[in-house]
Each structure stands twice: as structure tokens, then as C-alpha cells.
Amino acid sequence: MLYLSTRGHPERKHFCEILLEGLAPDGGLYLPEAYPTLDAAALARLRSVWQQQGYAALAFEILSLYIDDIPADELRALCRKTYTAEVFGTPEIVPLKPLEGGLWLEALSNGPTLAFKDMAMQLLGNLFEYELARRGEHLNILGATSGDTGSAAEYAMRGKKGVRVFMLSPHGRMSPFQQAQMFSLLDDNIHNIAIRGVFDDCQDIVKAVSNDLDFKRRHHIGTVNSINWARLLAQVVYYFAGYFQATPDETHRVSFTVPSGNFGNVCAGHVARQMGLPIDRLVVATNENDVLDEFFRTGVYRVRGSADTHETSSPSMDISKASNFERFVFDLLGRDAARCKALFGEALAREGRFDLGADPAFALAASRYGFDSGKSTHANRLATIRDVYARHGLMIDPHTADGVKVAREHLKPGVPMLVLETALPIKFADTLVEALGREPDRPAKFAGIESLPKRVQVLDADAQAVKALIEAAV
């Protein structure tokens, strides 16, 4: 299995090369040269693996289709080490919770930091440590977070040999719980940097540093954001696990609704569908920052500036530059790397937007690739949180509420709809109190976390300042 860049760089690479690299040298994102495809018999075999051996074995089967430069026994051991009931709370790892009328939640938030990012990040930490030890090298991870990626990465990487983490977050724009999860980690290899700006400013800095190839090579810069293919690949697994739980056999279809800001989570669903998983619709749920909803309705992808990026009660989706979106557009345009480069490398930089509404390919987003979308507001998510609690006795976080609200608008008879849960509600207690008048339950290990000592550096949105900090630390 070889990987190519969405922007046409001629070099082809194996999995472990791109694992430590992040962006391609031309600024593009890595994708496999072709997606492996599964027929009904192969899906039935994977269902049997899931039922008889569990999530770790399913993860090995799917990952091994994309990874041919880690010996099978060692990859299997990494999956077994990662996906345990002790780490993720249940033997199923991602159990389904029934709501009403064919609507389900797929529980992805039982990991160490109570967010779905743990599903991929725990594996990524083990993959990094394995590959760095095999090479005798070290890695400086530079990442950006709007709330959950940062803590998931830091908890996965703390204490890992050969790894340092430099995590950028928007100053003052995460929930108090999210800030405390990150900033209270005092491990020597963890560096938190709060950027005066919004998440997109943080993400721009990560890309700017990654595109400085000399700096990147000198300081061994890698990334854990969803621009890293390994992270997205790990997320593909739970689409299969959800499908197998929601259906009795391979003749049935399911749909997924995915709360989305950066397009990484739902892009994993796109990959699963391309592999042959019988997914009917992939529904993108946005908050007031509705860049993705606007695209799927109109064909216009219009990036907002910092001043026009709303600060909302589902803050992990306060994003207006969906960095993973390039992977889908590459497929949508028939894998035309020149066009992809013109759109993402040139038009966005020059005009801040592009318009595919009149392009015949745009219709394929819905007809061939199964995408729909919808939007949720603060009032919507409060109403949804109240409704789900009243009808089902279940508390959900604001992002999951965005997903449930939009999923209910896209239900089809006979097709189960799975909403991907994004976090446990304690991470956004203020909104739960506003909706329900009470705080959600707090796991004992997080009691008093907001009052712990914290370590964080505040910087302006300046890539050079971040580079200087990295150089000083290494």
C-alpha cells in the first residue's frame, strides 16, 4: 500500500513514512493510491471477527489492509494493547445506545479524556512509540486543538519515549474542564501554548511550520491532528463496529450523523463507505460555524476569518477551515491533483473561497458519495439536550446534541441512524446546567481538576514565535 499527496507530489510513500510526517511536502494530505474494497463475503468475515474476537481484532483486520510495513504480529499486538475494556470502559469499546425510532448513539467517549478523539489518539501514541523505537529517533509533535484533540493527544503521549508534544489552543475559548485537562499536565514532554485568536489561527500555524521543510526536518516535526492519515485510519474502525451492532447481516444499510468542524471524523466514514461498508447517508452536522453545511447545500466553500468565526456552546466545532475537507474534494473531483492544488493551495489563499456549485462533480457529493448536512444553533442544542434527557434519561454533550438534532431531520424508515457521540457532558458542564439546571456526573478521577496547578504559555498568533519556543525547548 502506497500513499500519494492530494496536490500531486510525485513521491509515493509507505505508511510508517507518513505516520511521522503529517503534511506532504507540497502541502497536500496523504491518501492511499486506492481504497481496498470489501465484498459481502469479506464484510461477513469481519462481522464474525467483531462478534467472536472483539474490537481490537477488528481494528487489526482493517488497519492491516492499509499497513504493510509493520509485521502482522506486531500490529496485532499494538491493537490489543490499545483497545482494552480497562482503557475504554466496556468490552464492546464503542457500544450503541438506543434512542427513538431507529436512532442510536454510538458511544465513542469512554476513553481516558472522555472524548471520541481517544479512539484514534491512544493508537497513535502506541504507533509513534513503536516506530520511533524501531528507528532510534525522536519526534516533536505540533498540534492544534479546539478542545478535545489536545487532551487526547497529551494523555496518549505523556511518558512516551522519544516524543514531545507542543499543543496550540485558542486562548480562553475552551471550556474550563477542557483547559484543566490539558494545562494541569505537568509532564516534561508536554508543552501547552495558548494562542491569542481562534482555532483556525492555531491550525494555520501548524500548517505554516509543517510547510517550512527545513525547520520540519531539523526538529523532527510531526502532527497528531486529523491531517495525519494514521489518526483518520484508526477512526474508520468504529464505523464498521457501529454497522455490525446495528444490523443483522450485510443486506442492511445504515446512516451516520457526525458532528463536524474539521471534517476528520466524517471523512473516516467516507473512507469506510468507499471500502464497501453499506452506508446509506453520511450526514454532516455543524453548529453556527456552518462552512460545511453551506458547501453541501450550495457547492460554495467559504472560509471565515477570525472575526466571523462564532464562539458557541459547542466550542470544539468552532472551526471555519476544515483541513480534512481536501481529502474528500480530491475524491469528488476524480482525484484530479492539479485541480485540488488550484482550489486549496491557490484559490483559498487568494480569495478565501471556491465554488463548485456549477460543476457536474458537485452533484456527486450527494448522489454518489451519500453526503447530506444540517445545522444546529444554541437554542437547538439546549432543546435537544432537554428532550433527550426527558425522553430517555440520558445526558448528552452539546456537540452530540447538534448531531441528534440534525439526525432527526434525516431519518429514513428501515435505515438505522447512528449519531457519533463526541464527548461526555461533564466536559461542557455550563451548557448542561443551562439546559437542565444541574451538573452532569463527573468521573471520580476528574474531581477538582479545575483547581489543579496549571502550566501554559500564551503567545500571539505568530508562527515564528511558536518556532522559537520549540527551538528553545528542544
Side-chain angles (χ1 to χ4, degrees):
M1 172 68 74
L2 293 174
Y3 293 84
L4 50 74
S5 168
T6 53
R7 299 190 188 178
H9 194 277
E11 201 171 359
R12 300 291 184 266
K13 295 190 175 183
H14 289 278
F15 175 82
C16 286
E17 294 176 284
I18 67 169
L19 169 66
L20 302 179
E21 189 173 339
L23 285 176
D26 58 359
L29 302 181
Y30 284 113
L31 277 174
E33 287 186 312
Y35 298 112
T37 53
L38 303 167
D39 59 17
L43 287 169
R45 188 183 73 81
L46 288 179
R47 182 185 294 273
S48 177
V49 168
W50 156 257
Q51 292 172 337
Q52 297 175 23
Q53 300 175 55
Y55 192 93
L58 177 65
F60 165 74
E61 294 289 340
I62 292 170
L63 294 174
S64 63
L65 297 173
Y66 292 90
I67 303 172
D68 57 13
D69 50 351
I70 297 177
D73 288 348
E74 295 178 21
L75 181 59
R76 185 181 285 108
L78 287 167
C79 292
R80 286 176 177 165
K81 178 181 178 181
T82 300
Y83 297 113
T84 68
E86 290 73 29
V87 172
F88 288 98
T90 65
E92 300 90 350
I93 309 299
V94 291
L96 296 190
K97 303 174 186 177
L99 296 180
E100 74 277 353
L103 185 64
W104 302 76
L105 291 185
E106 184 168 359
L108 304 180
S109 304
N110 298 319
T113 70
L114 317 182
F116 81 95
K117 305 290 176 71
D118 290 323
M119 294 302 305
M121 211 66 77
Q122 287 290 309
L123 178 66
L124 205 57
N126 289 327
L127 283 169
F128 279 164
E129 188 173 51
Y130 167 85
E131 183 61 17
L132 290 169
R134 191 162 69 160
R135 295 182 179 205
E137 294 179 1
H138 66 275
L139 185 69
N140 291 308
I141 292 169
L142 178 62
T145 185
S146 55
D148 293 328
T149 294
S151 56
E154 291 177 357
Y155 276 69
M157 305 298 166
R158 62 189 306 197
K160 287 283 189 287
K161 295 176 182 176
V163 179
R164 290 191 195 91
V165 178
F166 297 86
M167 187 58 61
L168 312 184
S169 60
H171 183 46
R173 282 188 172 241
M174 298 187 298
S175 75
F177 189 95
Q178 288 176 310
Q179 291 180 60
Q181 275 190 308
M182 291 173 55
F183 301 163
S184 64
L185 293 183
L186 305 180
D187 304 66
D188 289 341
N189 71 324
I190 303 297
H191 302 267
N192 281 299
I193 306 165
I195 297 295
R196 296 185 182 97
V198 298
F199 169 75
D200 294 318
D201 296 313
C202 302
Q203 187 165 255
D204 286 346
I205 292 170
V206 171
K207 289 187 174 181
V209 175
S210 295
N211 282 325
D212 183 340
L213 298 184
D214 178 62
F215 185 89
K216 182 179 177 180
R217 292 188 185 111
R218 254 189 308 127
H219 294 292
H220 305 276
I221 301 294
T223 181
V224 291
N225 278 70
S226 50
I227 58 176
N228 188 311
W229 167 254
R231 198 180 120 189
L232 192 146
L233 176 57
Q235 293 175 285
V236 172
V237 180
Y238 52 67
Y239 283 87
F240 282 81
Y243 173 80
F244 293 143
Q245 291 177 82
T247 60
D249 58 51
E250 286 60 54
T251 64
H252 293 74
R253 303 180 73 78
V254 301
S255 293
F256 290 88
T257 296
V258 188
S260 193
N262 218 13
F263 205 77
N265 201 5
V266 75
C267 192
H270 165 66
V271 173
R273 195 174 189 273
Q274 292 301 101
M275 293 172 67
L277 191 67
I279 295 174
D280 185 42
R281 311 303 293 171
L282 288 165
V283 185
V284 177
T286 74
N287 64 12
E288 293 88 338
N289 296 294
D290 58 351
V291 172
L292 293 170
D293 180 45
E294 181 178 35
F295 174 81
F296 286 109
R297 285 186 294 104
T298 69
V300 175
Y301 180 66
R302 180 172 58 91
V303 170
R304 276 66 152 174
S306 297
D308 297 317
T309 300
H310 303 290
E311 189 171 354
T312 77
S313 52
S314 49
S316 297
M317 303 194 314
D318 291 350
I319 297 168
S320 73
K321 295 178 183 175
S323 65
N324 253 285
F325 190 53
E326 184 171 336
R327 285 188 166 110
F328 170 66
V329 172
F330 179 69
D331 284 343
L332 181 66
L333 298 177
R335 300 201 139 202
D336 186 333
R339 281 200 72 192
C340 204
K341 181 179 180 180
L343 293 176
F344 286 92
E346 295 160 18
L348 282 186
R350 186 175 61 249
E351 301 168 17
R353 69 193 300 275
F354 60 76
D355 185 354
L356 296 180
D359 191 308
F362 173 64
L364 299 177
S367 63
R368 177 176 175 182
Y369 294 103
F371 276 93
D372 288 317
S373 68
K375 174 182 173 180
S376 174
T377 66
H378 180 67
N380 295 144
R381 66 185 67 97
L382 291 181
T384 303
I385 289 169
R386 292 185 188 117
D387 179 76
V388 170
Y389 188 65
R391 294 169 67 179
H392 306 289
L394 183 65
M395 286 192 186
I396 57 174
D397 87 283
H399 310 76
T400 304
D402 289 337
V404 171
K405 183 266 184 185
V406 173
R408 285 170 165 168
E409 299 166 353
H410 290 85
L411 289 172
K412 289 168 64 173
V415 181
M417 173 68 82
L418 278 57
V419 177
L420 297 191
E421 175 198 77
T422 60
L424 295 192
I426 188 57
K427 300 194 79 167
F428 307 95
D430 289 351
T431 303
L432 270 291
V433 170
E434 184 180 355
L436 301 175
R438 55 160 289 191
E439 280 221 359
D441 295 334
R442 177 183 293 249
K445 66 179 179 178
F446 291 113
I449 189 173
E450 291 91 344
S451 61
L452 291 175
K454 297 176 179 62
R455 189 180 71 199
V456 59
Q457 298 186 66
V458 180
L459 295 179
D460 289 332
D462 178 5
Q464 293 304 319
V466 172
K467 287 181 186 177
L469 189 150
I470 293 171
E471 287 188 307
V474 302

